[in-house]
Amino acid sequence: MDIGDILLAQGVVSREQLNAAQHAAGGAKRVDRQLVDSGLLTEDQVLRALGDELGMRLVDIDKLTVDRDLLAKFPAREIFKHTLFPVSRRNGSVVVATSDPFDLEALDEVSTLSGFRLEPVLARRGDIARLIREQLGVGGDTLTEMVAQRTEEDVELLEGLGEAEGELAEMAQAASVVRLVNELLIEALAQNTSDVHLEPQESGLVIRFRVDGLLRVQPISQEINYFQAAIISRLKIMAKLNIAEKRLPQDGRIKLRVQGREVDVRMSIIPMMHGEGIVLRLLDKGRMVFDLKNVGLSEVMSSTFHELINMPHGIILVTGPTGSGKTTTLYSALNEIKDPAIKIITVEDPVEYQTPGISQIQVHSKIGLTFAAGLRSILRHDPDVILIGEIRDGETANAAIQASLTGHLVFSTLHTNDASGAFTRLVDMGVEPYLVASTVEGVMAQRLVRRLCRHCKQPFIPAEDDVPNDFPRPLPAQLWRPVGCRECSNSGYRGREGIFELLRTDEGVRQLCIERASSVQVLQYGLRNGLTTLRTDGWRKALLGITSIEEVNRITKPDFLS
């Protein structure tokens, strides 16, 4: 029986569905994989049907205990190549997890190379691949091959040569180093990583991925330390940096196409005690959707924000720390108002996302093209709307004020902890308070909280001890807590959601600004007049089951009124 007949006999698919899948596959893909890809069957259904027909067990990888001594007896390259994993010893054989019971050639090859008789069991392919990466590290098969080919002279030459010779030395082992770096980037993107940290420490290289705002240490083989210099050189070459310079910080940019997805990589290198530390900021253009409906604003806040971004002139600020989603919010706002009748110009450092219909300028401070200089120039380009990537100093702040006074709508970002702090921050930069009061129309502060995994989040009945003192009373009948499952890598969270604080500048705020009131006084005025703070918006999302009490507590601090 072929695979289609097995699935038909097991009753998991109809003749019509099978014929349709065979026609869609056209001989280029196995029918079971076509059925899974089209959503007609799950991988579990296929594996269970094949297991029943062939007399093979279906196992849950997450519940298995890994025998590392046994794993060490198997060639890493073949484990990666065939996505097989040795599970345990049993009656003189080794139980091996596979997702393809028909790949007998792979089983024979691994059996021959390891010297063990194999007993296959079935498991999901993704689960096996994840377990392999956890146990053997990212790029473990490539490192095994590189260690086999490595000589002491190779490493010494890489560490001791200048730029031209260093390139030649790196090219001598390009195939293996290039593949290792590529595997690192592919794995980072597969985990939806925003930043990759390569950190040299006394004990060796440590690699951490920032996923949903938190860093995770990645399992890697200790052999990667032999190739630390080669990996750094490869990344420098990709970013067109000077590979001979190891004493000064360097910044670069890499443009990649990874598995059909366009990715921009911003690279920062800083010399540290035990070598050069690298941080890669991954900007996956394919995953970015700039739409205000997806940002996470409440209905009331969304309505107010739409009124602000459709004003004819003035300044609208978005505040928050680095990585809080300010750029996404601003691009979403620009996309909302973008129209052939409106001229939109941005000046950014760097231009993170290229957007059709918007004129974008890249800051080059070394040649004098700063935010302030760029802003002065673009005013002669007859814009209607201007986006300044960040107000960093008094010169830029005053230029933004002048742009709004001459009839332009100005968007920008500012680094403050909350919306009320934006007014005092601009005054501290040297802008006259009456100018701030008359031009700033609204300030939105934001943070990102992790979303509860929809596959495993667990409802519970909250008690007084389960929630902070400022949580809304009376307590709801039900809240949700994180648990952890396969889908969210046992973190309990998957993806992030914005929480917001929108302060619209009314007459009261303008008067406080003119009087040089502190940010605390502005906040108190806002709270008395119904301001929804970051904390309050966080509690709203916890009540809706979007995030957890612990996550809101981690990201925000309690509000107060004195």
Side-chain angles (χ1 to χ4, degrees):
M1 295 174 74
D2 65 16
I3 297 174
D5 292 334
I6 292 174
L7 298 176
L8 198 61
Q10 289 291 325
V12 294
V13 69
S14 67
R15 171 58 70 183
E16 292 75 18
Q17 290 173 325
L18 182 61
N19 290 340
Q22 288 171 334
H23 177 74
K29 187 190 292 185
R30 263 180 28 186
V31 68
D32 57 329
R33 290 172 184 164
Q34 177 63 38
L35 287 163
V36 172
D37 291 345
S38 64
L40 288 171
L41 292 179
T42 64
E43 188 179 5
D44 274 358
Q45 288 176 304
V46 171
L47 290 175
R48 198 169 286 110
L50 296 179
D52 289 346
E53 182 67 32
L54 302 172
M56 297 172 66
R57 290 186 296 140
L58 177 63
V59 299
D60 185 348
I61 284 285
D62 292 337
K63 295 179 180 177
L64 300 175
T65 302
V66 175
D67 185 339
R68 293 195 61 84
D69 292 335
L70 177 63
L71 178 62
K73 294 179 170 61
F74 281 76
R77 181 170 176 76
E78 272 56 44
I79 288 176
F80 274 93
K81 177 182 174 183
H82 300 299
T83 319
L84 296 171
F85 195 89
V87 174
S88 61
R89 301 174 190 267
R90 181 177 174 181
N91 300 329
S93 301
V94 172
V95 177
V96 175
T98 178
S99 63
D100 187 357
F102 299 102
D103 192 359
L104 301 177
E105 185 179 335
L107 292 167
D108 288 342
E109 182 180 349
V110 173
S111 177
T112 301
L113 291 171
S114 64
F116 291 105
R117 187 162 61 85
L118 304 183
E119 178 189 329
V121 295
L122 299 177
R124 298 183 192 89
R125 183 178 182 82
D127 290 354
I128 299 172
R130 175 174 48 77
L131 186 61
I132 291 171
R133 289 194 300 271
E134 287 174 357
Q135 297 299 323
L136 297 178
V138 178
D141 55 336
T142 303
L143 281 168
T144 302
E145 181 183 316
M146 290 165 70
V147 169
Q149 296 173 349
R150 171 181 169 267
T151 63
E152 290 300 323
E153 290 76 11
D154 289 335
V155 175
E156 289 172 9
L157 285 170
L158 282 169
E159 291 179 347
L161 293 176
E163 184 175 359
E165 295 146 313
E167 281 199 57
L168 294 173
E170 202 274 338
M171 287 172 63
Q173 55 174 343
S176 52
V177 175
V178 168
R179 192 167 71 209
L180 180 60
V181 171
N182 290 348
E183 287 174 0
L184 181 68
L185 292 171
I186 290 169
E187 177 63 19
L189 289 168
Q191 295 190 33
N192 293 329
T193 300
S194 61
D195 301 85
V196 177
H197 294 242
L198 286 80
E199 302 167 329
Q201 299 183 4
E202 189 174 7
S203 57
L205 188 67
V206 173
I207 297 178
R208 296 196 287 173
F209 290 173
R210 188 176 294 280
V211 181
D212 292 340
L214 297 180
L215 285 167
R216 298 178 186 170
V217 176
Q218 295 304 299
I220 53 173
S221 171
Q222 285 302 305
E223 282 82 4
I224 200 170
N225 295 320
Y226 299 134
F227 309 102
Q228 181 176 328
I231 292 167
I232 292 171
S233 295
R234 168 63 185 167
L235 287 167
K236 283 183 176 179
I237 288 169
M238 291 171 73
K240 300 182 176 61
L241 299 179
N242 181 0
I243 66 171
E245 181 56 75
K246 302 179 188 297
R247 301 163 300 169
L248 294 173
Q250 296 189 72
D251 293 311
R253 192 168 184 173
I254 308 168
K255 290 187 176 181
L256 301 171
R257 189 185 297 276
V258 180
Q259 296 178 334
R261 294 152 65 182
E262 279 194 31
V263 180
D264 265 9
V265 182
R266 285 157 53 186
M267 185 163 91
S268 175
I269 303 178
I270 298 179
M272 297 185 179
M273 285 295 295
H274 302 289
E276 292 176 283
I278 296 182
V279 174
L280 305 172
R281 166 66 61 89
L282 306 182
L283 303 170
D284 188 350
K285 295 181 179 180
R287 289 181 55 241
M288 292 308 299
V289 179
F290 298 114
D291 187 344
L292 275 180
K293 296 184 185 69
N294 299 327
V295 167
L297 290 166
S298 66
E299 282 188 30
V300 173
M301 221 179 284
S302 178
S303 175
T304 304
F305 193 62
H306 272 87
E307 289 177 17
L308 288 172
I309 65 177
N310 282 288
M311 283 188 163
H313 54 79
I315 297 177
I316 296 161
L317 297 172
V318 179
T319 75
T322 302
S324 60
K326 300 187 298 294
T327 302
T328 301
T329 299
L330 285 175
Y331 271 102
S332 299
L334 291 183
N335 270 341
E336 191 78 15
I337 63 173
K338 186 170 67 176
D339 187 274
I342 296 174
K343 173 89 168 186
I344 302 175
I345 305 181
T346 75
V347 53
E348 305 167 68
D349 182 22
V351 175
E352 294 186 357
Y353 301 102
Q354 296 175 27
T355 308
I358 297 175
S359 304
Q360 296 171 280
I361 300 171
Q362 170 87 43
V363 165
H364 288 288
S365 300
K366 290 180 181 177
I367 60 172
L369 181 54
T370 60
F371 279 118
L375 186 50
R376 284 193 297 270
S377 298
I378 64 179
L379 287 176
R380 294 190 287 272
H381 255 249
D382 188 30
D384 298 294
V385 178
I386 299 167
L387 167 64
I388 306 168
E390 182 185 343
I391 295 179
R392 296 177 178 171
D393 50 43
E395 186 183 11
T396 309
N398 278 297
I401 295 284
Q402 292 305 315
S404 71
L405 289 172
T406 51
H408 301 89
L409 183 61
V410 180
F411 292 90
S412 190
T413 68
L414 200 63
H415 286 294
T416 62
N417 289 326
D418 54 21
S420 57
F423 299 94
T424 52
R425 180 84 178 95
L426 290 172
V427 172
D428 289 343
M429 285 181 175
V431 182
E432 289 294 332
Y434 74 90
L435 290 175
V436 175
S438 62
T439 55
V440 176
E441 297 294 342
V443 184
M444 184 154 74
Q446 69 179 78
R447 298 289 189 279
L448 293 175
V449 293
R450 292 182 295 168
R451 280 198 209 102
L452 285 166
C453 174
R454 60 188 179 86
H455 296 281
C456 65
K457 68 178 182 180
Q458 186 181 74
F460 72 99
I461 300 170
E464 284 292 336
D465 293 341
D466 296 327
V467 299
N469 293 332
D470 63 329
F471 190 83
R473 262 62 173 188
L475 294 181
Q478 179 177 276
L479 286 172
W480 287 262
R481 59 162 64 105
V483 177
C485 67
R486 180 184 295 108
E487 297 292 334
C488 60
S489 301
N490 290 314
S491 67
Y493 300 92
R494 188 169 185 181
R496 287 190 289 177
E497 175 96 0
I499 57 172
F500 303 91
E501 173 180 310
L502 181 56
L503 178 60
R504 188 165 188 171
T505 313
D506 61 13
E507 289 308 312
V509 174
R510 293 188 203 280
Q511 188 59 40
L512 286 169
C513 185
I514 291 170
E515 294 171 359
R516 295 179 180 264
S518 69
S519 60
V520 173
Q521 290 173 296
V522 177
L523 174 60
Q524 289 172 339
Y525 172 84
L527 289 171
R528 285 194 298 269
N529 288 273
L531 173 69
T532 299
T533 63
L534 290 167
R535 184 84 161 182
T536 307
D537 198 39
W539 293 147
R540 182 179 70 84
K541 288 183 166 62
L543 288 167
L544 292 171
I546 296 170
T547 190
S548 67
I549 295 286
E550 296 80 11
E551 187 67 6
V552 176
N553 231 358
R554 182 179 71 86
I555 294 295
T556 65
K557 63 180 183 180
D559 304 320
F560 61 90
L561 267 174
S562 60

